[in-house]
Amino acid sequence: MTATETRPKPDGVRLAITQKRFEGVTRKMANTLLRTARSGVINTARDFSCALVTADCELLTAADSYPIHVIGGADLMARAMLDMHPDPKPGDAFLHNSPYHGNSHAADHTILVPVFDDDGRHRFTVLAKAHQADCGNSLPTTYMGNARDVYEEGALIFPAVKVQTGYKDIQDIINICMMRIRVPNQWRGDYLATVGAARIGEQEIVRMGRELGWDALTRHAEDWFDLCEQQMIACIRGIKAGRARATSMHDPLPRTPPEGIPATADVTVDPEAALITVDMTDNIDSLPVGVNLSHACARTAALVGVFNSLPTPMQPNAGSLRRIVVHLREGCVVGIPRHPTSTSVATTNLGDRVTNAVQCALAAIDPTIGMAEGGAAIPPAAGVISGVDPRNGHAFVNEVILAAAGGAGTPTQDGWLSLFSMGNAGMPFYDSVEVDEMLHPMMIGTRRLVADSEGAGMHRGAPGILTEYRPVDCDFELGYCSDGTVNAAKGTRGGLDAQPARQWLAADDGTITPLGTSEQVLVRRDQTVVSYSTAGGGYGDPATRDPERIAKDVREKWITRERARDVYKAVIAPDGSVDTAATAALRAAL
């Protein structure tokens, strides 16, 4: 008999209610972080995640979190904590940001707190992860796309270092961060917010354990994993069998192949075995740049591509993950990095390319699933600005998230307008123009959709966004890593490619300074940053798109009448309605 067969069948109502309570724990943690952190990238853009794992380091829930942060990394971080500290005690907390020990990248400071029952037995681990405005890099940015290695990157690396014992800070660790991070008081506030979120999670789980019984919580996790695995089995068995290989190309950087950095996924769907396998081993070795993937991000990026593509939404946890096998290779650019390989930009750029490759491979296997390529990150509109605020003389460092990538077209719907990146799944909040101008010495002149920039298709990709901003009464630095300037998002199954990203500095005297893919630049007070973010690729032949939807796109200025006629083969009358006869004739001529 299997373990599932020997256990009594769980009560469905109790199972659902208990799981919702666990999800409520992560939401309380998230609310704590959102409302108490000091960095704008956390308290405005919501660049953080919270998760719960079992004592066996299996992901139980990461409700309302970024997939790239936790789906394929929360278990790795929890295991690293126990490997390095095999005898944790109540009141312990660990600061973890090492990409070589299960974390995403060095900018994501994670607090792990082991949760114990009243007998001192370790039962769960809570994780609160927050992207830092500054993490001690050699330059004032958390995205060092051109870094040769972790030494040039310069980030402080904490491999599950104990930062609290007996619920009190270990001041030595705090002092190191306060001396190396450019905005120490801002970091200190973010640290307290993250610890507070983790402790809220600990308290809530202890309350549940005392109320429902600790063994009952353990059984719940086992039953929930089994249920989610069975749901995943049923889902995969409804997908066509097949194997496909796809490559998504990241833009070239210094010391990379001139055509760019390929991310190739070999995907197999086996409905009979109810397994989806993603093989990423046939990729090039790690490169002397900062976009190499960490173990957690390589694994998660492949998983995100699968979950994005399923015909039915599935819960990402240890149960559903049993039906997805990801093969990675050590020393590979999209695999498992060896120290001192830099993974500074692991959560977005090349990770999104892995996700795109998986989605496109699945679309090639079964036309009812998969996606086109989503737009790429991280344009200057989502860059890190730093300098000294002339209004108060204080140093500032923060990522402003004004705009980023457009989502990919799918078999059933258009691309997500505010996706930001594939791995973040639309979870970041785009900054308020007024709030950013209040918090930083900057003026935002433009933020608007770019008509005709989308990857056309039966279901189109989301359009790109034009953003223009400039310093006010000062100069500041800008750091970014804008993939998609050379290799735009590709369409699939007849869908068209999207418009690429592009960016430059426009001076008041008319001088234009082109900006490259990945840079750290000084923006003078007489210059404006001009940033076109990437659009998403289209899915399916544009000439099969519903004419009424095309007319709506024209009325809402997503596309022009000329593009409707020339690309979508639809004629839109001056009043914004479909000219049915002319459209039918135009499409019949094809």
Side-chain angles (χ1 to χ4, degrees):
M1 279 189 174
T2 66
T4 305
E5 291 170 333
T6 57
R7 290 201 307 272
K9 185 176 180 180
D11 178 88
V13 173
R14 182 181 296 275
L15 194 65
I17 292 173
T18 303
Q19 186 59 27
K20 285 299 180 184
R21 289 191 62 176
F22 273 118
E23 292 173 8
V25 173
T26 60
R27 292 190 172 99
K28 287 182 180 180
M29 294 169 64
N31 188 59
T32 301
L33 255 175
L34 180 66
R35 295 184 178 279
T36 59
R38 292 189 182 178
S39 292
V41 71
I42 304 174
N43 65 31
T44 301
R46 203 187 181 283
D47 196 347
F48 62 81
S49 296
C50 301
L52 309 178
V53 298
T54 66
D56 295 330
C57 303
E58 293 189 300
L59 177 65
L60 179 57
T61 182
D64 293 347
S65 295
Y66 292 10
I68 199 68
H69 275 173
V70 289
I71 287 181
D75 57 338
L76 298 177
M77 287 186 283
R79 287 194 184 98
M81 178 193 75
L82 293 177
D83 287 345
M84 297 177 187
H85 305 275
D87 189 26
K89 297 289 191 299
D92 287 347
F94 302 89
L95 173 60
H96 188 16
N97 75 327
S98 173
Y100 313 107
H101 301 86
N103 190 39
S104 42
H105 68 154
D108 289 335
H109 281 201
T110 305
I111 296 296
L112 297 99
V113 169
V115 181
F116 299 84
D117 63 20
D118 293 332
D119 296 325
R121 179 181 171 187
H122 177 210
R123 293 287 192 163
F124 294 92
T125 299
V126 299
L127 301 87
K129 172 182 288 195
H131 183 101
Q132 301 303 300
D134 186 89
C135 60
N137 279 348
S138 60
L139 296 173
T141 179
T142 50
Y143 299 112
M144 292 190 62
N146 298 338
R148 290 176 180 269
D149 53 31
V150 72
Y151 303 116
E152 184 172 5
E153 184 183 335
L156 287 165
I157 303 292
F158 296 99
V161 171
K162 185 183 289 187
V163 72
Q164 281 192 340
T165 184
Y167 296 97
K168 293 183 179 180
D169 287 346
I170 297 174
Q171 196 60 40
D172 289 347
I173 307 302
I174 307 301
N175 291 342
I176 290 171
C177 293
M178 295 289 284
M179 290 300 295
R180 271 290 303 277
I181 291 175
R182 290 175 178 82
V183 281
N185 291 327
Q186 183 173 313
W187 173 84
R188 175 69 168 160
D190 293 343
Y191 163 77
L192 292 172
T194 312
V195 170
R199 292 300 184 193
I200 288 289
E202 175 191 31
Q203 292 173 15
E204 291 299 312
I205 293 178
V206 168
R207 182 177 299 146
M208 286 178 64
R210 289 172 177 168
E211 176 188 341
L212 303 177
W214 288 100
D215 290 341
L217 295 187
T218 299
R219 285 193 302 272
H220 164 81
E222 295 168 351
D223 292 337
W224 184 248
F225 294 153
D226 290 341
L227 173 64
C228 291
E229 181 181 16
Q230 291 303 312
Q231 291 174 339
M232 190 66 136
I233 289 171
C235 179
I236 295 174
R237 285 185 173 157
I239 301 174
K240 289 183 178 180
R243 178 178 176 180
R245 182 180 173 93
T247 298
S248 184
M249 187 74 73
H250 189 286
D251 287 356
L253 297 171
R255 303 178 299 279
T256 71
E259 68 277 10
I261 309 169
T264 298
D266 195 330
V267 181
T268 303
V269 178
D270 184 347
E272 184 175 353
L275 281 177
I276 295 177
T277 302
V278 181
D279 191 336
M280 304 293 300
T281 57
D282 188 18
N283 279 286
I284 62 176
D285 290 344
S286 300
L287 294 167
V289 289
V291 299
N292 300 280
L293 296 190
S294 60
H295 182 184
C297 286
R299 179 183 173 210
T300 303
L303 294 171
V304 169
V306 173
F307 279 102
N308 281 354
S309 303
L310 296 174
T312 304
M314 289 288 116
Q315 292 271 355
N317 57 42
S320 56
L321 293 179
R322 294 169 186 166
R323 313 313 302 180
I324 308 172
V325 179
V326 179
H327 295 296
L328 301 175
R329 178 171 64 83
E330 189 174 352
C332 178
V333 69
V334 291
I336 303 172
R338 303 188 188 100
H339 186 275
T341 299
S342 175
T343 62
S344 179
V345 199
T347 54
T348 51
N349 295 41
L350 195 54
D352 285 359
R353 295 296 183 171
V354 168
T355 299
N356 284 335
V358 173
Q359 292 169 174
C360 290
L362 286 166
I365 293 170
D366 187 336
T368 66
I369 64 169
M371 298 173 74
E373 289 191 358
I378 290 176
V384 178
I385 61 172
S386 60
V388 176
D389 193 329
R391 297 171 297 183
N392 53 33
H394 294 164
F396 66 91
V397 181
N398 193 49
E399 181 180 5
V400 290
I401 299 185
L402 292 164
T410 81
T412 59
Q413 60 191 18
D414 296 335
W416 192 337
L417 176 61
S418 58
L419 176 76
F420 185 84
S421 76
M422 301 305 304
N424 289 343
M427 291 298 296
F429 294 163
Y430 280 8
D431 290 0
S432 159
V433 167
E434 292 78 13
V435 169
D436 273 356
E437 291 176 342
M438 179 180 67
L439 295 177
H440 310 106
M442 66 188 303
M443 178 67 69
I444 301 160
T446 302
R447 182 167 60 176
R448 64 171 174 82
L449 301 179
V450 180
D452 296 347
S453 61
E454 86 296 348
M458 175 181 68
H459 292 104
R460 55 162 174 73
I465 300 175
L466 168 62
T467 308
E468 296 176 315
Y469 64 92
R470 62 185 297 154
V472 173
D473 297 330
C474 69
D475 304 336
F476 59 51
E477 285 192 58
L478 167 66
Y480 66 91
C481 190
S482 182
D483 186 21
T485 59
V486 176
N487 298 296
K490 294 185 178 300
T492 192
R493 302 201 74 92
L496 303 187
D497 298 349
Q499 184 182 89
R502 55 197 191 276
Q503 52 264 334
W504 61 86
L505 299 178
D508 292 344
D509 64 4
T511 302
I512 300 297
T513 304
L515 295 176
T517 295
S518 178
E519 292 199 35
Q520 183 79 17
V521 297
L522 177 69
V523 183
R524 302 191 311 265
R525 66 191 67 199
D526 67 325
Q527 291 178 314
T528 295
V529 179
V530 181
S531 174
Y532 281 86
S533 64
T534 53
Y539 194 109
D541 182 357
T544 62
R545 183 170 176 81
D546 181 352
E548 291 296 338
R549 301 189 71 176
I550 298 170
K552 185 173 184 289
D553 289 342
V554 171
R555 291 194 299 270
E556 295 178 351
K557 299 183 180 181
W558 297 71
I559 62 173
T560 60
R561 283 187 173 82
E562 292 76 17
R563 186 168 178 84
R565 180 192 65 235
D566 298 340
V567 176
Y568 292 93
K569 309 304 178 186
V571 179
I572 307 303
D575 65 356
S577 63
V578 179
D579 186 328
T580 306
T583 297
L586 187 60
R587 292 188 171 186
L590 294 177

